[in-house]
Amino acid sequence: MPSPVSPVQTAARVLLGAALAFAGTGHLTFLRQDFQAQVPESLPLNQDFVVLASGVVEIGMGVALMALPKQRVTVGWIMAAFFVAVFPGSISQYLTHSDAFGLDTDRKRLIRLLFQPVLIAWALWSTGAWAARKKG
């Protein structure tokens, strides 16, 4: 059993899980085209496949964050790695000046890039993964 976390961390983990499940649902439905704008042209995969696959992963990770508290440390590390893995999509959106999610200026796209480390930190802190690293 991982070390205990605070009620605030637990609430933050559940909130992140719900947000991911919602975003993943968006990949599969109403935000599908917006997410395609983030798939780098250099990626040798079909853009729609990437969006659908990443949506399924986000739903699964969101549900895992909410429903598997005993696995939260492992899920936290996996989620942080996922946020790192999808970061090139945000960079691509910035470099190609692609409009999506209301990000219709380079300034807005740049601000979004700065938010990615926050998501990584949120995943590691809310799950207790960062603290568990020090004990392991």
Side-chain angles (χ1 to χ4, degrees):
M1 181 76 173
S3 300
V5 292
S6 73
V8 173
Q9 284 173 287
T10 298
R13 176 179 51 83
V14 171
L15 179 62
L16 180 58
L20 288 168
F22 177 77
T25 302
H27 277 71
L28 306 178
T29 58
F30 65 99
L31 293 173
R32 195 163 164 177
Q33 283 189 313
D34 283 329
F35 279 111
Q36 288 176 3
Q38 289 190 287
V39 179
E41 301 260 336
S42 60
L43 192 64
L45 297 169
N46 177 279
Q47 287 183 331
D48 198 43
F49 169 78
V50 171
V51 169
L52 294 172
S54 60
V56 170
V57 169
E58 282 192 15
I59 291 168
M61 296 308 308
V63 170
L65 280 170
M66 294 183 289
L68 302 174
K70 290 182 181 180
Q71 303 301 319
R72 64 181 158 72
V73 170
T74 301
V75 174
W77 283 112
I78 293 169
M79 199 67 253
F82 177 80
F83 287 140
V84 170
V86 299
F87 190 57
S90 297
I91 293 170
S92 175
Q93 184 180 7
Y94 176 74
L95 294 176
T96 61
H97 314 283
S98 299
D99 294 347
F101 309 109
L103 304 174
D104 53 5
T105 67
D106 283 344
R107 181 178 181 189
K108 290 177 184 178
R109 289 184 282 268
L110 182 61
I111 290 169
R112 181 165 191 242
L113 286 175
L114 299 175
F115 188 66
Q116 199 75 14
V118 173
L119 290 173
I120 295 165
W122 186 356
L124 295 175
W125 172 77
S126 69
T127 61
W130 190 254
R133 159 199 72 77
K134 297 176 186 175
K135 294 178 183 177

